[in-house]
Every structure is written in C-alpha cells, then in structure tokens.
C-alpha cells in the first residue's frame, strides 16, 4: 500500500544485465557463465537480505533465475573495467 517503504534497486524490469560472476543452480546442474547477458523480468524487493531479480539469461532460453543484485552488473559497463 501507500505506507510501504520503497527499496531502491540498481536495475528495473526489461533492463539488460550481465552476470558479474559464474552462477549455478543448486546441485550445479546448470551454470551461467560470467559475463553472460540476460534481461530483468521482475524486481523482488521483499527478499530478506538483498534485492533479488528474476532474470532470463541468453545461454538458458526459457529458464528464469532468481539472482541477487550483487551478482549482476549493467550491460553498459565494459568487462574488465571497474567504476
């Protein structure tokens, strides 16, 4: 409702992002390589520790992943260049 506290996020829905490190699901069955590009589908601000995103990655079409904000960088940032 109107009284809920807004938690700012680095990314919003439909924004293109890159994995800042290699990611794997439980059991290590599927891995998202560092630098792979994806699209934010949804911002989850209710996560207890940090903002989480539902992301589709190009290397895993049709799959949706819950990814913490700390594991993503903007596609506008160049690989290997620190801000």
């Amino acid at each position: 409702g109107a009284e809920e506290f807004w938690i700012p996020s680095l990314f919003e829905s439909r924004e293109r992002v890159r994995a800042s490190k290699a990611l794997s699901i439980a059991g290590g069955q599927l891995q998202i390589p560092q630098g792979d590009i994806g699209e934010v589908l949804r911002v989850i601000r209710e996560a207890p520790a940090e903002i989480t995103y539902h992301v589709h990655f190009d290397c895993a079409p049709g799959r949706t992943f819950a990814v913490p904000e700390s594991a993503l960088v903007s596609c506008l940032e160049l690989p290997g260049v620190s801000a």
Side-chain angles (χ1 to χ4, degrees):
E3 292 101 31
E4 291 181 24
F5 182 73
W6 179 257
I7 301 171
S9 61
L10 291 177
F11 310 107
E12 294 300 330
S13 295
R14 301 180 67 191
E15 196 165 343
R16 300 290 282 171
V17 293
R18 284 188 298 113
S20 64
K21 57 186 172 185
L23 306 170
S24 62
I25 62 172
Q29 300 166 333
L30 178 70
Q31 188 171 19
I32 304 299
Q34 181 178 1
D36 196 61
I37 295 176
E39 181 177 345
V40 174
L41 301 176
R42 184 169 179 231
V43 182
I44 312 298
R45 290 183 167 86
E46 299 86 28
E50 76 176 299
I51 291 176
T52 302
Y53 301 90
H54 284 172
V55 180
H56 273 170
F57 285 99
D58 293 351
C59 71
R63 304 279 309 261
T64 301
F65 299 90
V67 183
E69 189 168 72
S70 60
L72 298 171
V73 294
S74 171
C75 274
L76 300 177
E77 294 180 30
L78 297 174
V81 177
S82 299

